[in-house]
Amino acid sequence: MDNFLLLLYIAPLSYLFFKLFKLIDQKRHQCCYILDYQCYKPTDDRKLSTQFSGEVIKRNTNLGLNEYKFLLKAIVSSGIGEKTYAPRMVFDGRETDPTLEDGVVEMEEFFDDSIPKVLSRSRISPQDIDVLVVNVSMLAIVPSLAARIINRYKMRDDVKVYNLSGMGCSASLISINIVQNIFKCRKNVHALVVTSESLSPNWYAGNDRSMILANCLFRTGGCAILLTNKVALKHRAMFKLKCLVRTHHGAKEESFNCCIQKEDELGRTGFHLGKTLPKAATRAFVENLKVISPKILPVRELARFTIASFVRKMRQGRSSKGAGGRPTIDFTTGVDHFCLHTGGKAVIDGIGQSLNLSKYDLEPARMTLHRFGNTSASSLWYVLGYMEAKKRLKKGDRVFMISFGAGFKCNSCLWEVVRDLGDGNVWEDCIDEYPLENLANPFMEKYGWINDEDEATFVVPESI
C-alpha cells in the first residue's frame, strides 16, 4: 500500500520534471545566433567618383535645366562620398538600356564574393545549410536567385528556400524573422541569409524629380549572414537575437504610395520617393517603438517616461500655456549601440533627433552612408561592420537595429554581443580614415556653386 502511494506521488512529479526539462531544452534550441556575416565590396573600377558622377548626369539628355539643378542639389547635400560603388553597366554607358543579364551579373558577383567567405570563415560547408533566405527586391528572375545560389554551391535537395522580392530596404530583418520562426520548431539548423539589391535594371533615365532622386542615394552592396540555433556552436557565435518587431502600414494609402516602383508619363520605369515619405516613416517608426520599447528597456525607464507623460498631461489640462516639452524615452538605458539604416542624411538625422542620440551614436551610420551610400537592405550590416572594425562591440553589449522600407515598413531588433568583436570585415582597408570630422565631400566642392545660381539664367556648362 505504501509503495502504491509512493508511486502515485512519484509518477506526476516525474512527468512534471520531464515536461519542465523538455520546455527548457526547447527554449535553448530556439535561440537565434549569428555565426558570421560578410559584407560585399566591389572592385575599385566601380567606384563612383565625383567627376564620373557629373558625366553620368550630363549623359541623361532627358534632363531639363530645373531637373539638372535639382539633381545636383540633391547630390551635394546627400552625405555620400566619392568611394561608393555603381553597377558595371553605368561605367559602360548603358544605363539607359540595361539588360536582364546586367542585373543577374551584378548579383552573381556579390554571391561569388561574400558567400564563400562567410562559409569558409565559419567552417561550414554549403551542404550543411538547412535554410536559405534571399531578399532582392527589384529583380525577379526564373529560376530564382535562390535557385542560382543552390546550383552554384550544390546545396542539398532538402534545403528550405525562401526567395523574397518587393520588400525594400527593410528586407534583411524580415529574412532574419523568417529564420527566427523556423528555429522555433526545428533543432540544430544552419541558415544562410543573402541580402542585397539589383540596381542595374532599375536605373532611372527620365526627368521625374521624385524618381531621379533614387539614383543619387542607392549604391551597389550586399551581405551574407550565417545563423544557427545549434547550442553546441553558441561559443563561436557573434550575436544572439533578443527580440524583433515588424510594423507594416500598407493598409494606409499614403504610406503605401510614398515609396513605389512605377512608370513615368513616358513609360520609363523608376523608383518613386514621394513627399509624404517623411510623414509615413515617422508614423511607422513611432508605432514600432511603442511595441519594442517594453521589450528592450528597463522598467525604471518605462516608469519614468510614463510618470513624466502623465504629469505633462495634467499640466496641460490646468494651463492654457502648455506644459513644456514632450517627454522622451532614454533608449541608452537599455541599448549600447544604434545600428541605423543609411536611407540618407535626413533619415539618420531624423532618427537621431527622435531618440536624442549623440554624435557618437550616429557616427557608424553617417560614416557608412559616406563610404558605401545606401545599399538598401544590406546597409544595416555595413553599419554593424563599422562598429566591429572600430572595436566598439564588447561581450554583453546590446545593439539596436532600425530599418525602413517600402510598403511602408519599419522593422527593428535587438542583438546581444556574445563575445568581444574586432574583425575589420569590409572596412579593413579604410577604417583608420574614419570618422571624418568634415563630411563636406568633393560633390559640394565641385557642384556647390549651383546653390547660388538663378533659375531664370542658369545653363548647363560645357565642362564641369
Side-chain angles (χ1 to χ4, degrees), residues 47-59 68 71-72 75 80-82 84 86 90-91 95 203 215-216 219 443 446-447 464:
K47 284 186 177 179
L48 200 58
S49 68
T50 302
Q51 181 64 35
F52 186 71
S53 295
E55 295 174 8
V56 173
I57 293 171
K58 289 192 68 177
R59 287 204 301 248
Y68 189 87
L71 192 55
L72 292 184
I75 292 176
I80 296 177
E82 62 172 353
T84 60
V90 174
F91 294 91
E95 64 269 16
W203 192 277
N215 293 352
C216 300
R219 297 291 185 267
F443 286 114
K446 193 170 185 63
Y447 301 124
I464 53 175

Side-chain angles (χ1 to χ4, degrees), residues 444-458:
M444 179 65 75
E445 297 172 9
K446 193 170 185 63
Y447 301 124
W449 50 266
I450 201 167
N451 292 320
D452 301 322
E453 291 293 310
D454 185 348
E455 186 174 308
T457 59
F458 173 74

Side-chain angles (χ1 to χ4, degrees), residues 77-82 84 216-219 340-348 362-375 379 382-383 427 434 439 441:
S77 61
S78 67
I80 296 177
E82 62 172 353
T84 60
C216 300
L217 297 175
F218 289 99
R219 297 291 185 267
L340 312 179
H341 170 53
T342 58
K345 183 177 181 296
V347 173
I348 297 171
L362 297 178
E363 177 188 310
R366 284 175 173 161
M367 298 307 119
T368 299
L369 178 65
H370 181 271
R371 175 61 183 84
F372 293 100
N374 180 357
T375 58
S379 66
Y382 288 85
V383 179
W427 290 89
Y434 290 89
L439 293 180
N441 56 41

Side-chain angles (χ1 to χ4, degrees), residues 349-417:
D349 292 344
I351 297 175
Q353 185 176 5
S354 299
L355 300 183
N356 196 27
L357 301 182
S358 66
K359 180 181 178 181
Y360 177 86
D361 295 326
L362 297 178
E363 177 188 310
R366 284 175 173 161
M367 298 307 119
T368 299
L369 178 65
H370 181 271
R371 175 61 183 84
F372 293 100
N374 180 357
T375 58
S376 189
S378 65
S379 66
L380 288 173
W381 307 98
Y382 288 85
V383 179
L384 188 67
Y386 180 91
M387 296 177 188
E388 183 183 0
K390 281 294 184 182
K391 296 179 169 57
R392 292 187 178 189
L393 303 179
K394 305 299 180 183
K395 182 178 180 179
D397 285 357
R398 292 153 69 92
V399 182
F400 186 32
M401 281 187 170
I402 306 171
S403 64
F404 299 91
F408 190 85
K409 299 180 288 292
C410 176
N411 300 327
S412 64
C413 68
L414 187 73
W415 298 96
E416 179 183 336
V417 182

Side-chain angles (χ1 to χ4, degrees), residues 189-374:
V189 176
H190 287 118
L192 179 64
V193 169
V194 180
T195 176
S196 185
E197 188 56 84
S198 181
L199 303 184
S200 296
N202 297 287
W203 192 277
Y204 179 63
N207 58 5
D208 187 310
R209 292 189 183 188
S210 69
M211 296 163 79
I212 58 177
L213 188 59
N215 293 352
C216 300
L217 297 175
F218 289 99
R219 297 291 185 267
T220 299
C223 186
I225 309 130
L226 185 62
L227 304 102
T228 189
N229 64 345
K230 196 171 184 177
V231 177
L233 295 179
K234 69 177 183 179
H235 66 284
R236 287 168 48 187
M238 303 175 71
F239 305 94
K240 177 181 179 181
L241 183 62
K242 304 298 289 184
C243 65
L244 188 150
V245 172
R246 292 165 55 180
T247 302
H248 201 305
H249 280 182
K252 297 178 174 63
E253 292 298 323
E254 191 175 55
S255 298
F256 176 81
N257 290 302
C258 69
C259 271
I260 190 168
Q261 187 180 24
K262 68 175 187 177
E263 295 180 340
D264 64 13
E265 294 179 351
L266 296 179
R268 294 174 296 226
T269 303
F271 193 62
H272 164 78
L273 300 174
K275 294 181 179 180
T276 60
L277 176 58
K279 182 180 178 181
T282 300
R283 188 161 47 197
F285 182 44
V286 170
E287 289 298 319
N288 188 274
L289 289 182
K290 286 180 180 179
V291 179
I292 201 168
S293 295
K295 299 176 184 289
I296 67 176
L297 297 180
V299 175
R300 67 179 184 277
E301 175 59 22
L302 296 173
R304 183 202 63 78
F305 175 76
T306 301
I307 294 171
S309 299
F310 177 75
V311 171
R312 181 177 183 272
K313 188 175 181 179
M314 292 295 292
R315 288 177 177 174
Q316 279 183 324
R318 295 174 182 174
S319 173
S320 59
K321 296 181 179 180
R326 184 188 297 272
T328 58
I329 296 181
D330 183 5
F331 275 82
T332 61
T333 59
V335 176
D336 300 293
H337 309 282
F338 295 84
C339 189
L340 312 179
H341 170 53
T342 58
K345 183 177 181 296
V347 173
I348 297 171
D349 292 344
I351 297 175
Q353 185 176 5
S354 299
L355 300 183
N356 196 27
L357 301 182
S358 66
K359 180 181 178 181
Y360 177 86
D361 295 326
L362 297 178
E363 177 188 310
R366 284 175 173 161
M367 298 307 119
T368 299
L369 178 65
H370 181 271
R371 175 61 183 84
F372 293 100
N374 180 357

